Amino acid sequence: MRGGAFALALAGLAVLTVSALAQDAAVTPAPVSPQIASALDQLRDAALGDNNGYSIVEDLVTQIGPRRAGSPEEARARDWAQAMLRAEGFSNVHVEPFTLQSWEPVVQTASVIAPGQQPLVIAALGGSPSTPAGGLEAEVVRFLNLDALAAAPDAAVRGKIVFIDEPMARTEDGSGYGAAVRKRARCAPMAQHKGALACLIRSVGTNTDRFAHQGGNARQPDGASLPAAALAPPDADILARLLAHGAGVRVRLNITSVMQEAAPSGNVIAEIRGREKPNEIVLIAAHLDSWTLGQGAIDDGAGVAIITAAAKLINNLPRHPRRTIRILLAGSEEPGGLGGKAYDLAHHGDTHILAGESDLGADLVWRMRTRFGAGAGPYASAMLSALAPLAIISGDNALDEGGTDIAPTTEAGAPTIALNQDASHYFDVHHTANDTMAQIDRTHMRQNIAAWAIVLYLAAETDWDFRTGGMAPAAPPRQR
Ligand SMILES: [Zn+2]
């Protein structure tokens, strides 16, 4: 959905009421008291005029900038986050530290050296070792996807640079990512096994401008140690055209990277303590770390701002909700969801009433999905009714992990909610140098804040049990 639909929805606010919309839902919504309904209206109105969310992400990317997992900048971001959360009036603000093997790209360049010379725009992929000093040079061999590489005889690959030229589909729900991202982790071990010297992939992204997309874990899978990089989409086109024109295309690839054992990271936690049931936790997460080419504004400064601003509006109400709302600003999400794992280790025994995450930028929320118990439909229906004035539609009750930062918690059985943002343009920018404040639309961000404020308040102020009727088992973990 784009801006026009949202403007229309806002124009309809005066005539659409929660109760009127509820009758359109498939399941009769659980009743909501007049006090709660009035608080929801108040939260929605406040969010749609909110300047706090935009200010939070602006301050984060201005004061700190990029925040690589395990870096001094990520540590400064934790200090920044604690100070910000205390200033916003949250309680129990603290850091839960952990360490990781971190990976830092220092040099990442490439060029075509035959036929002719031309520069290529690349980004080294997570876990890539350095090339020999001065770079490596080799002939390029192109494959359409991993299956084609797997089927190739070793002799076709040995001593060459493997190039996997698989595009990513643009979709509103971001589903093109899962299919396209496999090559980012799998190219290196597969190509190395066949005797290749390096791996190049078409960036996992949908842009047509010359921005390459970073990504990947701090360590390549299966013990691989092969230099690997992503080409900006137009640069993948350059290589494909040269190869179509004739064989003997040679590339020089130069990567310098640094690995650090036991680099410091950590999760930042803050709470609105529940007034009646403080041990019942409504968990909302985003991540503090980012890749380093851009500012980490949409990934995931926006999420940090959206959930903090939403919780802050609830904190502004005359009294706290019954249950505790807990903010998790996770560290080291990018190199493998390490903050989410550390959170689960520290809080496995906590009673999580509901878990959600904001980590798909700042475009409009268009759909709500859940993984609730079979008998919790009336609660989902009541949430949808409250979200309908924001033009958010119903999705299914077959949500997977719900996000990397909450995945271990939801896999352990926490009911899960997703407010799907329009991802049509997210993967133009994701993990690139183009991830700056210029990508954030203030009005769209406000709609996100309104939606999360409504969901968090309903979950924390009611006594709804989202497990009612028993939940389907968690879906298997998805590929990052
Ligand atoms: Zn992210």
Side-chain angles (χ1 to χ4, degrees), residues 245-261:
H245 201 252
V249 175
R250 294 179 67 81
V251 160
R252 177 185 298 132
L253 176 66
N254 192 6
I255 295 173
T256 306
S257 64
V258 179
M259 297 271 195
Q260 185 188 345
E261 297 299 328

Side-chain angles (χ1 to χ4, degrees), residues 16 29 32 179 185 195 234 259 285 328 345 374 387 414 425:
L16 296 174
V32 168
M259 297 271 195
L328 163 62
L345 270 179
L387 292 171
H425 298 281

Side-chain angles (χ1 to χ4, degrees), residues 17 56 93 116 128 133-134 144 176 195 202 216 234 238 254 275 288 294 329 331 337 353 360-361 367 418 432-433:
T17 67
I56 289 171
V93 177
S128 171
L144 290 178
R202 177 181 283 269
I238 288 171
N254 192 6
R275 71 173 192 274
L288 262 186
L329 303 185
I353 294 297
L360 203 63
R367 184 176 65 177
T432 72

Side-chain angles (χ1 to χ4, degrees), residues 287 299-300 333-334 359 426:
H287 66 88
D299 187 12
D300 185 24
E333 187 267 356
E334 295 293 1
D359 185 16
Y426 180 72

Side-chain angles (χ1 to χ4, degrees), residues 448-464:
N448 277 261
I449 294 167
W452 276 115
I454 285 166
V455 164
L456 293 175
Y457 187 73
L458 270 171
E461 180 62 14
T462 62
D463 59 0
W464 296 347

